[in-house]
Amino acid sequence: QVRLVESGGGLVQAGGSLRLSCAASGRAFGSHAVGWFRQSPGKGREFVAAIRWGSGSTTYADSVKGRFTISRDNAENTLYLQMNNLKPEDTALYYCAAGALVWNVVLTSGYNYWGQGTQVTVSS
């Protein structure tokens, strides 16, 4: 039904910026909740940011508040994550996720569609 494809990852220096994109195909995002999660070796998938597609309501992890901005493009069914002032601790594989009935956007269990991930590496 829904296919999510992330892009925009790469290698950047600490303090730099990067913009991740998540394009949906098969179905439009509609009123889904859409979020970004990240995973680094030895850790589970960590919540980064989410947006309610219909309302535009956003939620951010404390670790990225003030640095990351999640946004959406309704016409292109695309989700973005603008990452500024990147830190080495931000290094991870970033995943885009979506769910039609997400009641807690912070939890991975609420999402039923996942992208393949895009690697973000921040050097010191």
Side-chain angles (χ1 to χ4, degrees), residues 12-86:
V12 298
Q13 292 184 317
S17 298
L18 205 60
R19 189 184 73 162
L20 305 184
S21 299
C22 174
S25 62
R27 287 182 59 190
F29 281 129
S31 59
H32 282 55
V34 188
W36 290 96
F37 293 80
R38 63 188 183 187
Q39 186 168 14
S40 58
K43 298 182 64 177
R45 291 193 180 185
E46 174 190 20
F47 172 75
V48 177
I51 187 169
R52 296 281 183 181
W53 200 264
S55 68
S57 178
T58 58
T59 304
Y60 295 93
D62 289 340
S63 60
V64 305
K65 286 181 179 177
R67 299 189 298 121
F68 291 9
T69 302
I70 189 169
S71 62
R72 71 202 195 288
D73 185 320
N74 291 328
E76 297 185 13
N77 296 119
T78 302
L79 177 74
Y80 300 99
L81 183 67
Q82 178 65 47
M83 304 184 294
N84 297 325
N85 191 25
L86 284 161

Side-chain angles (χ1 to χ4, degrees), residues 1-5 22-30 32-34 77 96-100 112-115:
Q1 289 183 315
V2 176
R3 183 180 177 88
L4 305 177
V5 180
C22 174
S25 62
R27 287 182 59 190
F29 281 129
H32 282 55
V34 188
N77 296 119
C96 175
N112 53 341
Y113 301 107
W114 293 85

